[in-house]
Amino acid sequence: MESHDTHEPPHKRRRKAPGSASTYVFRTLLEDIALAPDDYPAKVQITCVELWEGNLYIGTSAAEILHYVALPPDPVVNTASPSYIFASRLQPTTTSTSSASPAVQQVLVLPKVAKACVLCNGTLTFYSLPELSPAFGNTVVSGCSWIGGENLNASDGEDEAGQVVMICIKNRIRLVRIGDDARRIRNIEYPACLTVARRDNFACVADAQAYALLDVENQQKISLFPISSLDENAHGGQVEDISTKSDSSRPSSAVGDPKGHGRSRSLGTFVGGLGRRSPQSRSQERSDRDAPEPGLRAASPLRLPHDQPRSSPAPGEASRRPPVSDKPLPAPPDRSSSQQGGQTVAAPSSAQLIPHVCSPTPGEFLLTTGTTPEEPGVGIFVNLEGDVVRGTLQFDRYPTSVVVDGDDSDAAMPSSGMGKSEDVYVLASTIQNRDDGDREVIEVRKADADNDDGNEHLDVPFPFEEDSTDEAGTMVGHARLRSLLSDTSASFPEVGDMLGLVRLRVPNHGAARINQPEESKGANENREEEEKVFAQRLGSRSSRLVLWSGSSIWWLVRNPLVLRLDGAIDACIEAPLDSGQTMVHRGEILRIVSSVSEYEVATETDFLTLKYIRQKTGIILLADTLSRNPSSSGITPTELRALEDQLVESGLDPRIVLSMLPLLGQDIVEGPQGIWIHGGLTGVIQQYAHLSSSTPGTSDWPFKHNEWSNLIKQYLAAWRQRKGFGSIADEAEVFQSVDAALLHLLLHQDDQHSRRAGIPQASRSELYSLVDTGVDCFERAVVLLEQYRRLYVLSRLYQSRKLAGKVLQTWRRIVEGEADAGNELRDGESEIRKYLAKIRDVTLIQEYGTWLARRNPALGVQVFAEDSSRVRFVPQEVVRLLKDQAPDAVKVYLEHLVFGKKKGQYANDLITYYLDSVLDVLEASNEARSVLAQSYESYRALQTPKPTYRQFIMDNAISANWWQDRLRLLELLGGSHGADLSFDLSQILSRIEPYEEDLVPESIILDGRQGRHQQALRLLTHGLGDYHTAINYCLMGGASIFHPISGSLTPSEASTREDQATLFGYLLTEFLAIEDTNNRLERTSELLERFGGWYDVRRVLDLIPETWSVELVEGFLTSAFRTLLRDRNEVVIVKALSGAENLQIAAEMVEKMRLEGPRIEAEQ
């Protein structure tokens, strides 16, 4: 990722965020350091820096080392970075006779042995830590160009005898172990070495022309490639043996202290082999070379001559006195210098490039090459065999210094836990040409060269100065990078501000907050303090990288991931969010979201960072999505599902999403503790809330679009599935808000669908499912359903809570005509009846059962008579209840018992009710009596054949209730519903007696019940004129004048022939008494002709008037005589058959006697 300062027009300029998207940021270590000693004539620059256990060592171009000591961070100031105070100033010893100004080129700290090696103006001296007191008797090594080469693979405690370093002099490299003293291990023939990086036995080195790979154990060299591709003399890939005979025979030498004899001896002089060596010395050297050390052989200690005292000169004294040695000292180094890892080293001429060697991993070295300092540079990775691996790193210009920052580098900072190889970065200081002049920058490259997204440019925090070389050959002016030995903590308060939780003030959207008890101020204040304390420890980062120039030093700190990603997110948004012209680069944000999923969480800060980033990107993408028109948004369903998953998985409080939507913002439940979110989200939430409130249209934005409504609906539904998760803070308030918002959205969506299409959509089934499964926001749900006039859905909500009374009350409102927008309760009365059969609350059943009986008696009485009901009622109690609450339903209830359930024991109650109904009308209304009389006259006036009177009154029934009751009364009394119905005959007779003339059919039935058949037949014949019913009465033995509904008689109901003959005799008498002659003759003749078999001929002849002609009874007489003749012939036949049977038996007797024969029995 590259970060450039672009100069965009104001209307296209991207938002600037409080966070930075760059991987590294600068933090001041020390500024405007007083480098120059008193009365120093020249300008003094920092040449090298090192830090060890709170001790800061600063080398200067004035040949001094400034020692600073760290003070712990001040808790009052709330910063994680220590401060530094000046402790001492040291002038290292130098033996150079050059007239050039001296300069400290390197300060190498060896922490395992608590020693420091200082290279000043080509002279190497040794000191003890931390106060930099002279070590090894003020031993010096002259003609040194570079020191370092510690084994980067060495672990703590691996080499208890000391640390092995590589000292580069003019003609060779010497391996020396630094411990209690300095011991030479071996020489390596590699002249003019400028920099080294070593991994065990393998060291990558460079001189002024090319790089090489050394096997320091086997004394072999592999030439690699030139530093400058313009150098045609360098040839790579050659393997050379660099071991020498003189090196194997030269004994180990002691480091002397020449001060006792008025001269100083350098380590180079002693290890070069002074004087003769004994065989024992050579044997000891070979033994030392055979003893292993981590990657090296051990060296024997070099003893000091006993005649040389150990006194040391004062610092600076040796530098002012010329050194004296037994041999000529090595030639002074070249006036040009080089720098590796921030240390100033001898450099090639200005036409040459500075070599840089780093080791990012245990098996690789990073080398730089180029053409000229003004042209681009290339970083090349080689392995321990000298082969090029990976890809190359491209630098805009050849770097002046290079460091590696990562887990496996030579100066690895503590891992952030976020990722693996992507955390290894290569940083190079270069000069960038711009329109306004040259500018020094830090180029940041990921070590994984295949990933170009990690490329950045950081402007150094000071103005550019032209590079120059002072009189001592030290390069000054350019910024220098170095990875220090110890790290330090840098404070990022903005991280705590972003990740710490703060209370969100939710926009009101013009609606009253619901369910908000009074806030507990004390509890909230305590939580705010706790969150502040927690946030303070989130913004601390460690770093070992420093940058210096002139008299100031800065830390180069790995920018916390949250600041980098937050800055990258804000860079994807153009124009202020509240301008109405916001442009969100969705593709870039989606790439950020995708990259976040690749990180591995190792710390609490990492976890909060990823959570915060997911939440922020989710909010931005959601607001951007909802602000677009679905038809032209270009957003695919896959992206919508991904956005939904991201919002849910990020753990973003759904109330925050609701606060951005005016329609659903009313459903937020804050509770006494409020809503707490990451502090970095408050700004974007408020800005997008302002955007939503300024969106053209009504408050239902953005739910005019079905696609966006479905998005929010699915998001809320996904949140509902997380109920019961213990990790959700403020669970009660969260799910109350989610349920209320989802219900509100479904109601709104269903309302919109109904208005547009006029038919229910899928949202209705979702609405039912939501309320049926129960919601946490019960009170708010009631308000919403009442607001949208969805009474039926409200009743389902009550059912989910088993509030039977509320369910019935709501249905009652619908049935009684109150508006129900959904019109979903089609048959409310039937639903109420079914629901009453399922509950056990007797009070509710009685209340709503009687209410239903008043509205619909036929349906209401089923509540009390239903066999499947959970509550059973005694009929007597029901009758009393209905008489009191629903009088009109009493009759229906009794009819249901008698006719529907065939409970004949309640027939008397029903008959009594019918009688009450009929007699009350007859008593109060003469009109009713006239109607009855008119019906009798009309029926009698009908010509035969005519229907029965029962059929006549049913066909000509009137709509009056009493008339219908009379018909049912006749059915009950006449036995149409079976003969098992019992009633109090005497009571009925006593009540009907005053109305015999009006209630003729009833009187006939009661006479028959009493056995007064002749009276009954008289009324049938003369009162009604219903001759057909009279004949049926005789056939049925006077049991009833109405057949059962089934139309058939059981055997028990059939009368004997004698009873029928008696009744027919009564009927003949009544027919003969009919006043109308023609009618009398017709009825009598028909009766005798059809039923003559039931009459005695003599009796009939006695009853028939003598004036009747034989023709009138011709049919009867013919039938009677035929019957008599038939009977006579039957008797004759029977007698003949009996005689024949007698003869047959006699013949059989004779035959049997013949067969038996005679038998004589003698008398005794």
Side-chain angles (χ1 to χ4, degrees):
M1 183 187 304
E2 295 186 359
S3 175
H4 300 282
D5 287 335
T6 58
H7 300 280
E8 299 175 342
H11 65 282
K12 289 188 177 180
R13 188 169 300 166
R14 297 196 178 186
R15 275 182 87 237
K16 298 302 180 182
S20 173
S22 60
T23 306
Y24 290 87
V25 293
F26 296 99
R27 288 290 186 269
T28 302
L29 195 159
L30 290 174
E31 284 186 308
D32 300 327
I33 306 172
L35 301 176
D38 295 338
D39 301 329
Y40 194 81
K43 180 180 179 180
V44 179
Q45 304 264 357
I46 298 175
T47 56
C48 57
V49 178
E50 187 56 275
L51 177 67
W52 175 70
E53 293 187 355
N55 294 276
L56 180 63
Y57 305 105
I58 303 174
T60 71
S61 59
E64 291 185 328
I65 297 177
L66 306 184
H67 181 196
Y68 284 80
V69 179
L71 296 179
D74 187 356
V76 178
V77 182
N78 185 23
T79 175
S81 303
S83 58
Y84 293 87
I85 61 172
F86 179 75
S88 63
R89 186 187 298 264
L90 172 70
Q91 292 83 28
T93 301
T94 177
T95 61
S96 174
T97 59
S98 172
S99 60
S101 300
V104 176
Q105 298 165 272
Q106 282 182 271
V107 175
L108 177 64
V109 173
L110 305 176
K112 295 180 181 179
V113 295
K115 296 294 188 293
C117 305
V118 177
L119 178 62
C120 180
N121 199 25
T123 301
L124 179 64
T125 53
F126 304 91
Y127 298 90
S128 298
L129 299 177
E131 68 280 358
L132 295 182
S133 58
F136 309 146
N138 200 26
T139 299
V140 298
V141 177
S142 300
C144 180
S145 62
W146 195 86
I147 183 171
E150 313 97 292
N151 183 10
L152 300 180
N153 287 346
S155 59
D156 294 339
E158 186 173 289
D159 184 10
E160 298 180 357
Q163 282 188 258
V164 176
V165 297
M166 302 176 71
I167 301 175
C168 302
I169 57 178
K170 186 173 183 179
N171 297 322
R172 62 180 60 86
I173 300 174
R174 288 186 175 150
L175 268 68
V176 177
R177 178 180 289 112
I178 306 297
D180 294 336
D181 51 12
R183 303 178 185 180
R184 178 181 66 84
I185 299 176
R186 68 176 60 88
N187 291 336
I188 300 174
E189 296 300 323
Y190 188 86
C193 179
L194 299 180
T195 183
V196 179
R198 181 167 66 92
R199 295 279 187 180
D200 292 332
N201 294 334
F202 298 94
C204 186
V205 298
D207 55 17
Q209 283 76 36
Y211 296 101
L213 190 64
L214 303 182
D215 184 344
V216 297
E217 175 74 16
N218 299 311
Q219 297 285 298
Q220 289 184 334
K221 181 183 76 171
I222 301 176
S223 300
L224 296 178
F225 46 82
I227 301 171
S228 174
S229 59
L230 300 178
D231 189 352
E232 299 178 355
N233 296 324
H235 301 282
Q238 299 178 357
V239 179
E240 304 177 33
D241 187 351
I242 55 176
S243 60
T244 61
K245 180 178 181 180
S246 60
D247 179 63
S248 61
S249 62
R250 186 179 297 113
S252 299
S253 303
V255 179
D257 185 0
K259 181 63 179 175
H261 296 275
R263 60 184 181 179
S264 173
R265 295 188 179 184
S266 68
L267 181 62
T269 301
F270 284 95
V271 301
L274 294 176
R276 297 179 179 178
R277 291 172 296 170
S278 64
Q280 182 179 0
S281 300
R282 291 192 296 267
S283 175
Q284 180 66 34
E285 183 180 17
R286 287 191 297 270
S287 175
D288 291 340
R289 294 171 66 94
D290 293 337
E293 177 266 331
L296 298 171
R297 293 191 180 101
S300 60
L302 304 179
R303 301 299 180 184
L304 291 172
H306 295 288
D307 59 343
Q308 296 180 357
R310 293 178 176 267
S311 60
S312 300
E317 180 179 348
S319 64
R320 293 188 293 269
R321 296 169 54 183
V324 179
S325 176
D326 294 342
K327 299 181 59 172
L329 293 173
D334 295 339
R335 296 181 57 83
S336 59
S337 61
S338 176
Q339 189 157 11
Q340 159 59 23
Q343 300 284 29
T344 305
V345 297
S349 64
S350 59
Q352 295 176 323
L353 301 179
I354 305 171
H356 302 292
V357 179
C358 302
S359 181
T361 66
E364 293 176 328
F365 295 104
L366 172 63
L367 316 176
T368 60
T369 183
T371 54
T372 65
E374 292 77 17
E375 296 297 326
V378 178
I380 301 176
F381 294 92
V382 297
N383 59 18
L384 300 183
E385 297 177 357
D387 299 326
V388 176
V389 294
R390 301 199 196 187
T392 59
L393 298 179
Q394 302 293 328
F395 301 105
D396 294 345
R397 288 183 63 171
Y398 191 85
T400 58
S401 57
V402 178
V403 294
V404 176
D405 180 29
D407 291 343
D408 297 320
S409 66
D410 55 336
M413 63 176 290
S415 172
S416 67
M418 306 297 291
K420 296 179 181 179
S421 63
E422 290 80 6
D423 275 337
V424 180
Y425 287 89
V426 177
L427 294 87
S429 59
T430 63
I431 299 174
Q432 189 178 67
N433 296 323
R434 297 183 181 173
D435 295 339
D436 56 351
D438 291 347
R439 179 75 177 178
E440 284 195 274
V441 297
I442 304 299
E443 294 190 37
V444 181
R445 301 287 185 266
K446 279 191 175 182
D448 184 0
D450 296 333
N451 189 351
D452 295 334
D453 292 339
N455 298 342
E456 298 178 21
H457 292 77
L458 303 177
D459 290 343
V460 297
F462 47 83
F464 172 74
E465 296 181 5
E466 291 291 340
D467 190 23
S468 62
T469 303
D470 62 11
E471 295 179 355
T474 302
M475 297 179 65
V476 295
H478 283 327
R480 295 294 182 266
L481 287 169
R482 175 166 174 76
S483 182
L484 302 182
L485 186 64
S486 299
D487 59 15
T488 189
S489 295
S491 176
F492 289 85
E494 55 269 41
V495 173
D497 295 339
M498 277 187 187
L499 301 183
L501 297 183
V502 296
R503 182 168 182 177
L504 177 66
R505 303 298 175 181
V506 179
N508 199 320
H509 294 295
R513 297 257 64 80
I514 61 174
N515 194 23
Q516 285 190 354
E518 294 185 1
E519 298 179 355
S520 176
K521 295 183 179 180
N524 286 332
E525 291 176 357
N526 292 337
R527 181 170 181 179
E528 289 175 358
E529 292 299 325
E530 292 174 357
E531 293 296 341
K532 289 180 181 179
V533 173
F534 173 76
Q536 288 177 1
R537 56 189 179 92
L538 297 178
S540 178
R541 294 282 294 183
S542 298
S543 176
R544 297 183 181 183
L545 303 183
V546 291
L547 173 76
W548 71 84
S549 179
S551 61
S552 299
I553 308 173
W554 293 266
W555 289 110
L556 197 58
V557 186
R558 186 83 66 93
N559 198 14
L561 180 66
V562 64
L563 297 182
R564 287 154 43 200
L565 294 178
D566 189 76
I569 292 170
D570 289 335
C572 298
I573 303 172
E574 291 185 3
L577 292 175
D578 55 355
S579 68
Q581 301 177 354
T582 302
M583 177 180 292
V584 176
H585 296 268
R586 296 181 63 90
E588 297 180 19
I589 292 183
L590 291 174
R591 282 193 292 272
I592 294 174
V593 174
S594 177
S595 66
V596 166
S597 62
E598 300 175 359
Y599 288 104
E600 299 176 2
V601 176
T603 66
E604 186 176 27
T605 303
D606 298 340
F607 173 78
L608 294 176
T609 293
L610 300 188
K611 180 180 177 183
Y612 166 79
I613 294 301
R614 289 191 179 102
Q615 291 181 0
K616 181 169 183 177
T617 54
I619 292 173
I620 294 174
L621 292 175
L622 175 64
D624 178 65
T625 299
L626 299 180
S627 63
R628 299 189 181 196
N629 189 312
S631 60
S632 59
S633 66
I635 301 175
T636 64
T638 302
E639 291 179 346
L640 291 179
R641 286 192 297 270
L643 174 57
E644 173 195 333
D645 294 339
Q646 180 184 352
L647 288 172
V648 175
E649 294 174 1
S650 68
L652 178 66
D653 193 323
R655 295 176 291 179
I656 297 173
V657 175
L658 300 180
S659 69
M660 300 167 57
L661 307 171
L663 178 66
L664 305 183
Q666 310 168 38
D667 303 312
I668 297 174
V669 180
E670 292 189 36
Q673 66 277 9
I675 302 175
W676 293 77
I677 62 169
H678 295 297
L681 298 178
T682 55
V684 67
I685 291 172
Q686 292 171 357
Q687 289 167 332
Y688 274 115
H690 181 269
L691 175 63
S692 66
S693 63
S694 62
T695 301
T698 60
S699 62
D700 61 351
W701 173 90
F703 303 117
K704 292 181 178 180
H705 305 299
N706 192 49
E707 293 84 350
W708 303 159
S709 297
N710 290 335
L711 170 63
I712 300 299
K713 180 175 62 178
Q714 292 166 5
Y715 165 70
L716 294 174
W719 253 99
R720 288 194 83 237
Q721 296 178 0
R722 305 184 69 183
K723 284 187 178 181
F725 288 15
S727 60
I728 299 176
D730 303 331
E731 182 177 9
E733 290 78 9
V734 166
F735 288 111
Q736 287 180 33
S737 303
V738 169
D739 287 352
L742 181 57
L743 177 61
H744 197 167
L745 179 56
L746 289 174
L747 287 171
H748 180 79
Q749 196 174 27
D750 187 67
D751 182 62
Q752 294 296 318
H753 288 167
S754 300
R755 291 182 181 180
R756 294 172 187 170
I759 56 175
Q761 301 293 321
S763 58
R764 183 157 297 183
S765 61
E766 295 172 342
L767 182 61
Y768 292 162
S769 177
L770 174 63
V771 297
D772 290 346
T773 55
V775 294
D776 294 346
C777 58
F778 180 74
E779 295 179 359
R780 176 60 178 167
V782 172
V783 172
L784 287 171
L785 293 171
E786 292 282 4
Q787 177 183 339
Y788 279 85
R789 296 180 300 171
R790 301 301 295 272
L791 298 183
Y792 176 71
V793 183
L794 177 60
S795 70
R796 298 184 71 133
L797 175 65
Y798 288 139
Q799 288 186 65
S800 69
R801 292 291 183 100
K802 301 187 183 301
L803 299 176
K806 292 291 186 180
V807 175
L808 293 169
Q809 181 185 28
T810 307
W811 282 349
R812 179 174 178 175
R813 293 167 57 189
I814 299 174
V815 171
E816 290 180 346
E818 190 168 340
D820 179 27
N823 194 25
E824 297 137 293
L825 190 63
R826 299 297 182 181
D827 190 359
E829 294 178 350
S830 296
E831 292 296 328
I832 292 176
R833 182 194 66 80
K834 295 176 183 177
Y835 190 75
L836 289 173
K838 298 177 182 179
I839 64 176
R840 298 180 182 274
D841 193 324
V842 177
T843 304
L844 288 177
I845 296 174
Q846 291 179 349
E847 177 184 355
Y848 287 93
T850 55
W851 169 82
L852 186 58
R854 288 193 297 270
R855 288 185 55 87
N856 189 341
L859 199 61
V861 297
Q862 296 181 26
V863 175
F864 302 100
E866 188 70 39
D867 291 334
S868 60
S869 298
R870 294 190 175 186
V871 178
R872 300 293 182 88
F873 290 91
V874 178
Q876 291 80 357
E877 295 179 357
V878 175
V879 172
R880 286 195 299 269
L881 179 64
L882 292 177
K883 285 181 178 179
D884 183 47
Q885 301 292 333
D888 294 339
V890 175
K891 176 190 69 173
V892 181
Y893 177 68
L894 293 174
E895 288 175 346
H896 179 75
L897 292 177
V898 175
F899 302 137
K901 306 189 72 174
K902 308 299 181 182
K903 294 185 177 182
Q905 63 269 30
Y906 299 105
N908 189 68
D909 295 330
L910 184 57
I911 292 172
T912 301
Y913 182 87
Y914 288 151
L915 281 175
D916 292 340
S917 176
V918 174
L919 296 180
D920 290 344
V921 173
L922 293 178
E923 182 179 359
S925 173
N926 292 327
E927 182 181 359
R929 291 188 175 190
S930 300
V931 170
L932 289 176
Q934 183 65 34
S935 69
Y936 300 149
E937 293 177 3
S938 299
Y939 182 74
R940 285 194 295 266
L942 294 176
Q943 298 295 322
T944 56
K946 59 182 179 181
T948 63
Y949 179 73
R950 176 190 178 188
Q951 187 64 40
F952 174 76
I953 60 176
M954 292 182 66
D955 293 342
N956 298 276
I958 61 177
S959 59
N961 290 334
W962 67 271
W963 185 272
Q964 300 297 327
D965 291 343
R966 180 172 178 254
L967 294 179
R968 305 302 294 270
L969 176 62
L970 289 174
E971 291 181 6
L972 286 176
L973 295 176
S976 295
H977 293 277
D980 57 341
L981 297 180
S982 60
F983 47 84
D984 190 347
L985 183 59
S986 59
Q987 180 184 3
I988 297 173
L989 285 171
S990 63
R991 299 190 63 186
I992 287 181
E993 186 176 359
Y995 303 95
E996 286 184 351
E997 295 181 359
D998 301 314
L999 301 175
V1000 176
E1002 289 82 356
S1003 299
I1004 295 171
I1005 295 172
L1006 294 177
D1007 287 337
R1009 291 277 184 173
Q1010 298 177 85
R1012 298 167 57 184
H1013 302 300
Q1014 190 172 1
Q1015 177 65 20
L1017 291 172
R1018 183 179 296 112
L1019 291 174
L1020 281 171
T1021 303
H1022 306 291
L1024 291 178
D1026 188 357
Y1027 308 118
H1028 182 74
T1029 301
I1031 293 173
N1032 287 337
Y1033 184 87
C1034 297
L1035 291 173
M1036 296 176 64
S1040 174
I1041 66 171
F1042 299 116
H1043 290 290
I1045 295 175
S1046 61
S1048 62
L1049 294 173
T1050 62
S1052 61
E1053 293 175 330
S1055 58
T1056 63
R1057 189 172 182 84
E1058 290 77 8
D1059 294 336
Q1060 292 174 350
T1062 301
L1063 295 177
F1064 275 116
Y1066 295 151
L1067 182 58
L1068 178 59
T1069 302
E1070 298 301 329
F1071 277 7
L1072 292 173
I1074 297 175
E1075 296 181 357
D1076 186 89
T1077 304
N1078 293 331
N1079 193 20
R1080 181 172 64 247
L1081 291 175
E1082 291 178 3
R1083 301 282 74 73
T1084 304
S1085 299
E1086 181 184 3
L1087 177 62
L1088 292 174
E1089 183 176 357
R1090 292 178 58 195
F1091 302 99
W1094 275 268
Y1095 290 100
D1096 180 65
V1097 178
R1098 184 176 296 276
R1099 176 172 171 76
V1100 172
L1101 293 176
D1102 291 339
L1103 292 175
I1104 294 176
E1106 295 180 355
T1107 58
W1108 283 21
S1109 66
V1110 177
E1111 295 177 353
L1112 295 177
V1113 291
E1114 178 182 2
F1116 168 71
L1117 293 175
T1118 302
S1119 175
F1121 289 148
R1122 286 178 178 173
T1123 301
L1124 291 174
L1125 181 60
R1126 184 183 67 244
D1127 292 344
R1128 175 179 172 277
N1129 292 335
E1130 288 178 356
V1131 171
V1132 172
I1133 294 173
V1134 171
K1135 289 176 65 177
L1137 291 175
S1138 297
E1141 183 180 8
N1142 188 31
L1143 289 176
Q1144 183 181 0
I1145 292 174
E1148 291 177 355
M1149 182 64 181
V1150 171
E1151 182 64 23
K1152 185 176 287 188
M1153 291 175 65
R1154 187 183 64 78
L1155 294 175
E1156 289 289 337
R1159 186 173 58 186
I1160 301 175
E1161 294 182 359
E1163 294 183 359
Q1164 296 179 356

